[in-house]
Amino acid sequence: MTQQMAGLTGFGGYIPRLRLQRKSIVQANAWVAPNFLGKGKGERSMANWDEDSVTMAVEAARDLLGPGDDRSHVDALYFGSTTMPFKDRLNSGIVSAALTLDERVRAVDVASTQRAGTSALMQALSAIRGGEVKNALVLASDHRKTKAVTAQELDFGDGAAALSVGTENVIAAYLGGASLTVDFVDHFRGETEEFDYTWEERWIRDEGFAKIVPRAVKAALENSGVSAEDIKHFILPCTFGVKFVQQLAKRSGVDPETARDTLAANCGETGAAHSLVMLIHTLQTEAKPGDKVLVLQFGGGCDALVFEVTDKLSTQAGKRGITGALQNRAEETNYMKFLTFNGLIEWERGMRAEQDKKTALTTLYRNEDMLMGLVGGRCTETGVIQFPRSRISVNPNKHTVDTQEPYKFAEKKAKILSWSADFLSFSMNPPNHYGMVVFEEGGRIMMDFTDVETGTVDSGMEVKLVFRIKEVDEKRGFRRYFWKAVPIAASEAKSQTGQAAE
């Protein structure tokens, strides 16, 4: 089968709005680790308690795909992460259900390496070039748990990236690449462990990055037929600072000034997603048609991919992407909240939290489109829209039977009709906000609210819907997902609806 010219056809991104100030981390731990005081600058992205690698991947994908209901063009989904919520369940299947993709989609999980994101992208590019699939969706996301009082706690961040791959309307053509597989163990996380065990920094820097990355660059340039002098953007996630990245670029024959921002100051390193996060940020801020981009990801060797930006990049100008996600931020200075959200401390939740949260898997399966995709019903005779879908219409004037067709709510405009802030019921982030949400085209749903500050909610406010963790069954290790409403302040409405923030 002949290969086709493949490349990136679109992008999307997601960075959680909470930004934990590093100053609050180092000050809280100064009594035991004063050596970290010098790392107390800037901020790191911090996932809310109901976010994980799956929910962030869904949000990045929604940013890419836009508000339309028809997603039948996606025939392959590759999801890369080192923090999959399920060890034995198709995590990309959860993402597919939330996005209401066709059940015939090829869904693949790529895990167990920091190269999961770039490896997923390379698999997608190979499948497209070989003609196996026409339009692939590549997602990378990580939400890593770190021990308190560690460099990783300060260096890491949470986030996700989404890229679409195809052969039409290509914004960055794939010229070639290379993968080096080297069992160089800079860190690892055993089967029963929650946290990474990291080796000595100098060893990782001098024996790992400094020797493996240049070899990967050389191989990728040879395979793509591109000279080192032609590279305009050198993308490499690295917690050793931009100067070290510049040194690696120079050692590889690439102009050190092409080393792109690692986003350490305002995001942190997002693990398996970060090379793609940096790529999207570069496409949004600095890349121009004709530029050649070298994307690298270190881990168990190194992946290297070479792209050439096309004039189709302008078609993505309205995307929120990484730049918009970075601008939609809320400063967080409560270090204890960070520890609590990440399960790093035990706290008294009270008797109201003492309940069995077992999920009925039969119900979940039979109502998958409703629970995972937020699909309700629309009566084909009267046009009445309702959630949930049922055999009998809720229209009080005409109770038609078996006339409803599927109706997707997730991308529809909605407002708050009524709401409550409840301190009595248990909440991971009290008070527990919830209320009745009414949709512009019809229908209403009682929903939990998330990403909300006390005193900022009011009836009539617009909301956007997000896919989040509903409950965690800690006894059985099962996470149940559903949709929640995020109130949108008038000043934020533009950036929340797919436009880059001003």
Side-chain angles (χ1 to χ4, degrees), residues 184-186 199-209:
F184 178 87
V185 185
D186 57 334
W199 205 242
E200 198 267 332
E201 283 190 5
R202 188 175 60 176
W203 168 263
I204 299 170
R205 183 184 65 239
D206 298 343
E207 195 67 24
F209 276 85

Side-chain angles (χ1 to χ4, degrees), residues 182-201:
V182 183
D183 190 26
F184 178 87
V185 185
D186 57 334
H187 74 280
F188 65 90
R189 184 166 67 246
E191 181 182 5
T192 60
E193 300 301 314
E194 288 186 287
F195 309 104
D196 290 356
Y197 184 88
T198 304
W199 205 242
E200 198 267 332
E201 283 190 5

Side-chain angles (χ1 to χ4, degrees), residues 406-422:
Y407 179 89
K408 300 179 181 181
F409 279 89
E411 306 298 337
K412 306 302 183 185
K413 292 183 178 181
K415 292 183 178 181
I416 299 172
L417 177 64
S418 60
W419 61 277
S420 178
D422 183 359

Side-chain angles (χ1 to χ4, degrees), residues 261-279:
D261 184 5
T262 62
L263 307 180
N266 57 351
C267 175
E269 204 240 36
T270 60
H274 207 58
S275 59
L276 305 189
V277 166
M278 290 177 61
L279 170 60

Side-chain angles (χ1 to χ4, degrees), residues 247-473:
Q247 291 172 11
L248 287 180
K250 186 176 181 180
R251 183 174 298 188
S252 304
V254 178
D255 182 355
E257 294 302 315
T258 64
R260 297 284 73 94
D261 184 5
T262 62
L263 307 180
N266 57 351
C267 175
E269 204 240 36
T270 60
H274 207 58
S275 59
L276 305 189
V277 166
M278 290 177 61
L279 170 60
I280 294 167
H281 185 260
T282 298
L283 291 174
Q284 288 189 280
T285 58
E286 299 183 79
K288 297 180 177 63
D291 286 358
K292 291 181 173 60
V293 184
L294 177 59
V295 182
L296 297 144
Q297 179 70 58
F298 179 85
C302 187
D303 283 340
L305 301 89
V306 182
F307 295 93
E308 182 174 358
V309 180
T310 76
D311 56 7
K312 295 291 185 179
L313 179 61
S314 60
T315 63
Q316 303 296 301
K319 284 288 175 64
R320 184 164 176 257
I322 295 299
T323 58
L326 287 173
Q327 291 174 2
N328 178 38
R329 56 185 285 277
E331 288 190 12
E332 181 58 70
T333 59
N334 191 334
Y335 177 58
M336 187 61 69
K337 182 184 287 187
F338 171 78
L339 296 178
T340 303
F341 283 5
N342 286 277
L344 297 173
I345 58 172
E346 289 191 23
W347 58 293
E348 178 53 56
R349 304 185 183 189
M351 288 187 290
R352 289 184 175 89
E354 296 174 0
Q355 51 182 297
D356 193 332
K357 297 181 179 180
K358 182 177 181 179
T359 298
L361 300 180
T362 49
T363 301
L364 175 61
Y365 174 72
R366 288 170 178 157
N367 299 279
E368 181 186 70
D369 64 341
M370 178 184 76
L371 298 174
M372 303 294 281
L374 203 68
V375 179
R378 177 185 177 277
C379 179
T380 56
E381 290 189 15
T382 65
V384 170
I385 297 168
Q386 67 181 75
F387 186 91
R389 187 168 69 246
S390 61
R391 289 192 63 198
I392 303 175
S393 172
V394 297
N395 187 339
N397 300 317
K398 189 174 184 180
H399 293 300
T400 56
V401 179
D402 294 332
T403 59
Q404 292 187 36
E405 61 183 2
Y407 179 89
K408 300 179 181 181
F409 279 89
E411 306 298 337
K412 306 302 183 185
K413 292 183 178 181
K415 292 183 178 181
I416 299 172
L417 177 64
S418 60
W419 61 277
S420 178
D422 183 359
F423 276 101
L424 294 178
S425 60
F426 169 74
S427 173
M428 283 289 292
N429 189 22
N432 186 18
H433 286 84
Y434 55 89
M436 184 64 72
V437 173
V438 292
F439 291 80
E440 188 176 271
E441 296 179 4
R444 58 180 61 190
I445 308 174
M446 178 68 75
M447 308 189 80
D448 290 331
F449 297 167
T450 190
D451 289 354
V452 59
E453 302 297 331
T454 304
T456 63
V457 181
D458 200 1
S459 297
M461 289 184 69
E462 292 185 15
V463 297
K464 69 170 184 177
L465 304 188
V466 293
F467 186 71
R468 294 291 175 90
I469 298 170
K470 173 68 173 176
E471 290 179 325
V472 178
D473 180 0

